[in-house]
Amino acid sequence: MRLEKLLPIVPKYELAMQVDVDNCWTQMQHMSEDEFRQTEFYRAWVQPKRLRDCLMMPYLKRSKIMGLVSTARHEDNGLFEAEHRVLMERISPHLRRAMAINDIVDKGRLATALYRSVIDSMLAPVLVIGLGRKLVFANEAGSALLSKGDLLQLQGGAVFERRSGRGISALEAALERAIKGDSAVGIAGIGVPLVGKDGRRAAAYVLPIAGKDLRGDLGQGYAALFVAQRGEQQPILLEVLRTIFDLTPAEARVAALVAQGESPAAIADVVGVSVHTVRTHLARCFAKTGAQDQPSLGALVNGLLPPVGV
């Protein structure tokens, strides 16, 4: 018999809703056996199973849920005694603890699914990187970026920046620091310029994965890497710089190019002015933004835009 059909005919079931948690009661405490045998519940369920008494105890009560444990005795074993109620009440805290653990596990699964859903929906490539710069997770955009082998490359399961020179790059150095749990990676992990094979520009953001909740689940030695594709954000970036720092259009463009890793000479070629003019624009950018040099100006500019596509 289904529970929803059974409950309305269980004698004194409403007592379970009234009794406090950890308090046991038996069927025969509230009804004589003769009266009990006249009920539909007895005829439909108890008698065919040759049962006699039932011991019940609520161990959990919430606004929309109640936990109730129940056990029955065969007719050959007589009625439940006081000692049986004491034993049942002793296990109530353990049942409640098991429910709490189950809740935590369910919430953890829900949170993990939610995190993955949110990250996968981001337009920006997002990578989770572990010890040895090994790739742990990549969202759809991140997988696509790695498959191209343009801005970033995957070699032996490890993430590398595409470059022609030797030695560790600024991005890889920032990742190493973040993986070690260095929360002071700071400016070194903000807006790190990336250059593709065709000269395409992007900015990388490196964050150590810390915090007692998230790091406790993942373990030690993880970092998150976001890659912002800069081309489509240029018009927005220039307007942001002009609004926040009162830069002129020329100064804003120079600051944006610095954030992409361009040198003064390269900026002069792009903009079509002399290197001297570029340096003059840079000096004014430093004065208006408070940046001390080109790296800090680049980090400041890149930090103004979120690492997501538009």
Side-chain angles (χ1 to χ4, degrees):
M1 184 179 294
R2 293 181 62 85
L3 184 61
E4 59 267 26
K5 294 182 179 179
L6 178 64
L7 294 183
I9 63 173
V10 177
K12 302 295 183 178
Y13 173 74
E14 65 275 9
L15 285 172
M17 304 298 294
Q18 301 170 4
V19 175
D20 292 334
V21 295
D22 300 341
N23 289 325
C24 286
W25 57 278
T26 66
Q27 186 65 61
M28 293 303 106
Q29 282 181 280
H30 302 282
M31 180 180 292
S32 68
E33 285 194 75
D34 289 340
E35 184 182 3
F36 179 53
R37 289 175 180 176
Q38 301 304 312
T39 64
E40 182 182 352
F41 173 59
Y42 177 82
R43 292 192 297 269
W45 196 79
V46 176
Q47 187 177 29
K49 296 181 180 297
R50 298 185 60 194
L51 303 178
R52 186 177 181 190
D53 198 3
C54 182
L55 179 65
M56 292 186 248
M57 180 189 65
Y59 63 88
L60 179 69
K61 284 188 178 182
R62 297 176 183 168
S63 59
K64 296 182 179 181
I65 186 173
M66 182 183 76
L68 177 69
V69 60
S70 175
T71 182
R73 296 202 82 183
H74 193 272
E75 61 183 17
D76 294 338
N77 295 327
L79 302 176
F80 281 107
E81 305 291 344
E83 62 186 84
H84 299 129
R85 293 196 294 273
V86 171
L87 289 174
M88 177 72 84
E89 290 170 356
R90 286 179 180 174
I91 70 171
S92 183
H94 302 287
L95 293 173
R96 206 159 37 248
R97 179 174 178 271
M99 284 291 293
I101 293 173
N102 183 71
D103 286 347
I104 292 171
V105 171
D106 285 346
K107 289 178 181 178
R109 289 172 180 164
L110 176 61
T112 299
L114 179 60
Y115 295 152
R116 292 186 69 97
S117 175
V118 170
I119 292 175
D120 277 333
S121 67
M122 294 182 70
L123 298 179
V126 181
L127 311 177
V128 176
I129 299 173
L131 294 174
R133 298 201 305 277
K134 294 289 186 179
L135 179 66
V136 175
F137 169 81
N139 68 350
E140 185 176 345
S143 296
L145 180 68
L146 290 172
S147 67
K148 293 178 181 178
D150 185 12
L151 298 170
L152 297 174
Q153 297 177 337
L154 196 61
Q155 300 176 11
V159 175
F160 292 86
E161 179 183 349
R162 191 206 70 81
R163 64 190 189 281
S164 57
R166 296 182 177 180
I168 190 167
S169 69
L171 173 62
E172 292 160 2
L175 282 171
E176 294 289 356
R177 290 180 61 181
I179 290 169
K180 292 177 182 178
D182 187 355
S183 59
V185 63
I187 192 173
I190 299 177
V192 182
L194 297 176
V195 183
K197 297 176 183 177
D198 57 358
R200 183 168 59 91
R201 300 283 178 165
Y205 296 76
V206 178
L207 301 172
I209 295 179
K212 63 180 181 180
D213 295 330
L214 190 55
R215 189 150 198 154
D217 290 338
L218 287 175
Q220 300 296 315
Y222 290 87
L225 171 62
F226 301 81
V227 180
Q229 313 292 322
R230 306 301 294 179
E232 70 277 12
Q233 294 177 331
Q234 279 296 330
I236 300 175
L237 176 60
L238 297 180
E239 290 303 316
V240 169
L241 292 173
R242 293 181 63 186
T243 299
I244 296 178
F245 300 112
D246 195 28
L247 299 183
T248 66
E251 292 165 357
R253 191 175 184 191
V254 167
L257 290 169
V258 166
Q260 292 183 7
E262 299 287 6
S263 66
I267 294 174
D269 290 338
V270 172
V271 179
V273 298
S274 68
V275 175
H276 175 74
T277 300
V278 171
R279 295 192 186 282
T280 299
H281 289 324
L282 275 175
R284 291 172 181 167
C285 288
F286 295 155
K288 292 180 179 180
T289 63
Q292 301 299 314
D293 50 28
Q294 291 183 47
S296 60
L297 176 62
L300 176 64
V301 171
N302 282 318
L304 294 175
L305 288 177
V308 293
V310 294

